[in-house]
Amino acid sequence: QVQLVESGGGLVQAGGSLRLSCAASGRTFSGYAMGWFRQAPGKEREFVSTIMWTGGSTYYADSVKGRFAISRDNAKNTVYLQMNSLKPEDTAIYYCASDKVFKRWVATRVNEYGSWGQGTQVTVSS
């Protein structure tokens, strides 16, 4: 089992930027895809972005494409989410997660992830 701890959330004005980090421990990090999801009040948890275990491929929800960038540093067991041009509708709790399956090509569904962080709040004011 892997333990995940997110950081970097906060309050930002529309148009601003934040960088989220997710530090992993307890299990091999490099062989698993990592994902970012978010959940706004009253809504279901939704996919934001994922990065392949090698870091070679990335995928984004249409709502964040062109504004967010996911990356990973396997030497530091950390995955990042750079969020630019933030909008009020980006307000949510952001969770990082680790894929259940070793060296799967891509995972974009909640039930494909087996370990989750506690979440970090991102609030974007208009």
Side-chain angles (χ1 to χ4, degrees):
Q1 191 78 348
V2 62
Q3 289 75 49
L4 303 171
V5 178
E6 301 97 335
S7 61
L11 173 64
V12 64
Q13 288 188 332
S17 298
L18 284 174
R19 188 193 195 204
L20 305 184
S21 300
C22 173
S25 62
R27 187 197 69 188
T28 299
F29 173 79
S30 59
Y32 294 85
M34 295 294 295
W36 285 97
F37 291 77
R38 66 187 182 186
Q39 188 166 17
K43 295 188 176 181
E44 292 187 351
R45 192 167 298 189
E46 65 174 4
F47 168 76
V48 174
S49 181
T50 186
I51 185 166
M52 188 182 171
W53 60 275
T54 64
S57 295
T58 58
Y59 299 86
Y60 299 91
D62 288 344
S63 59
V64 307
K65 203 170 293 183
R67 301 187 297 122
F68 290 12
I70 190 172
S71 61
R72 65 189 296 162
D73 185 337
N74 287 341
K76 295 183 178 180
N77 289 355
T78 302
V79 61
Y80 305 96
L81 186 69
Q82 177 67 44
M83 306 186 295
N84 299 325
S85 301
L86 282 161
K87 304 175 181 179
E89 51 263 44
D90 294 319
T91 295
I93 299 175
Y94 283 70
Y95 299 90
C96 74
S98 178
D99 193 354
K100 292 179 182 177
V101 177
F102 187 63
K103 293 187 178 180
R104 176 162 33 197
W105 185 262
V106 64
T108 61
R109 293 191 291 268
V110 170
N111 62 9
E112 293 178 315
Y113 288 82
S115 298
W116 295 82
Q118 82 288 351
T120 185
Q121 176 71 46
V122 171
T123 303
V124 184
S125 63
S126 58

